[in-house]
Amino acid sequence: MIRLGIDIGGSGIKGVPINTENGEVMGHRHRIDTPQPAYPQTVADTVAEMIAHFKWHGPVGCTMPSIVQHGVTKTASNIPQEWIGVNAEALFKSKTGLDFKVINDADAAGMGELHFGAANDHPGTVLLLTVGTGIGSALFCNGVLIPNTELGHLKMHDTIAEKYCGDRARKEQKLKWATWAERFNEYIAHLELLFSPDMFIIGGGIANKTDKYWDLLKTNAKMVPATLKNNAGIVGAAYAAREIPFTIHPH
Ligand code: BGC
């Protein structure tokens, strides 16, 4: 079953059709700069541009870097506040005529990695963290996702985890890798106390730099780097859209 996957990020909107049976990327990934500011209407126009690029007529899976409950974006930590309360699935459908499944970006990346990437359908409790601008999380128990966990917003010291040990925090605060790793280990220890995961998957921008810090990380659980890298969100979003029946929509 082929679905178009679209990953909406802070700087780029990326998409490609995905075979949701095996996670295979069906063609060349297309990237369009995220409009700035990324207001709902302008992002929807860019999504429509992506659909036109692929001449796509079927269901679409799409990510948003926010809590998404039943298609409605509920938070806006790294996107404009205008997104709060928007039914993103209805908005994108109104622009394109197509059926959308919209989910949180980390949940999408988690689904991609769990089924087709680093986790290889690992049983038990699996926790994926995307460490980039923010920290996103995807929590699974025996393959079932508990959506919108937002563990990057756990309180740590006087701030929240993503501002304490995210990749943007590392860059902005000019942290040495050893200092960043110490902070991240503190975060991991807290997550272990809360969830006792069997496996952590580390994704997001930081997954491209494992040579800088991997040996410094401490965990009781198995810890693996994400393997789908930049495609994890696209693959997972397409996977989430597999339940939408493929009916041809004229537009
Ligand atoms: C947002 C999450 C998102 C994560 C990664 C966080 O700031 O609250 O919804 O998954 O960033 O983009």
Side-chain angles (χ1 to χ4, degrees):
M1 202 180 307
I2 316 261
R3 296 287 181 261
L4 179 64
I6 300 181
D7 193 13
I8 300 185
S11 56
I13 297 182
K14 292 135 292 191
V16 70
I18 299 291
N19 179 341
T20 63
E21 313 286 335
N22 57 14
E24 196 189 336
V25 174
M26 311 292 291
H28 293 291
R29 225 169 94 102
H30 187 59
R31 181 189 187 282
I32 308 173
D33 282 345
T34 305
Q36 302 297 342
Y39 292 134
Q41 290 299 331
T42 44
V43 168
D45 288 337
T46 312
V47 166
E49 205 183 315
M50 183 68 76
I51 304 291
H53 171 85
F54 286 105
K55 299 187 173 56
W56 187 254
H57 291 281
V60 185
C62 190
T63 75
M64 279 296 298
S66 69
I67 291 181
V68 187
Q69 209 174 8
H70 311 299
V72 178
T73 46
K74 297 263 172 115
T75 55
S77 27
N78 297 309
I79 51 173
Q81 299 297 307
E82 281 76 359
W83 278 99
I84 296 178
V86 170
N87 187 325
E89 290 175 359
L91 172 67
F92 297 158
K93 182 168 183 158
S94 74
K95 289 273 177 186
T96 62
L98 302 179
D99 289 321
F100 278 74
K101 177 81 186 170
V102 179
I103 61 171
N104 169 264
D105 57 357
D107 285 344
M111 278 202 267
E113 293 290 346
L114 184 72
H115 298 303
F116 307 118
N120 200 14
D121 284 312
H122 198 283
T125 303
V126 176
L127 179 54
L128 167 126
L129 300 170
T130 60
V131 185
T133 306
I135 294 183
S137 59
L139 181 64
F140 297 89
C141 186
N142 292 325
V144 177
L145 172 73
I146 293 105
N148 297 308
T149 42
E150 292 290 324
L151 298 173
H153 288 248
L154 278 185
K155 298 260 184 305
M156 286 189 79
H157 302 279
D158 292 334
T159 183
I160 57 170
E162 70 181 16
K163 295 195 173 139
Y164 184 64
C165 58
D167 202 31
R168 180 156 79 183
R170 179 187 65 78
K171 290 180 198 152
E172 284 180 357
Q173 298 170 41
K174 300 192 172 53
L175 302 179
K176 292 208 169 69
W177 280 106
T179 312
W180 173 82
E182 213 172 286
R183 290 186 179 195
F184 194 68
N185 282 336
E186 203 184 317
Y187 177 47
I188 292 293
H190 192 39
L191 292 170
E192 293 205 300
L193 181 72
L194 293 174
F195 301 106
S196 304
D198 297 294
M199 179 190 251
F200 281 105
I201 309 171
I202 307 299
I206 211 135
N208 301 328
K209 307 165 199 156
T210 45
D211 54 315
K212 306 276 190 213
Y213 63 86
W214 199 257
D215 294 346
L216 304 171
L217 297 184
K218 293 193 193 110
T219 154
N220 296 313
K222 194 186 291 182
M223 185 179 266
V224 293
T227 57
L228 300 180
K229 303 281 160 70
N230 298 334
N231 283 339
I234 299 178
V235 172
Y239 184 80
R242 73 199 182 288
E243 290 138 22
I244 308 175
F246 199 132
T247 41
I248 303 286
H249 295 266
H251 69 270

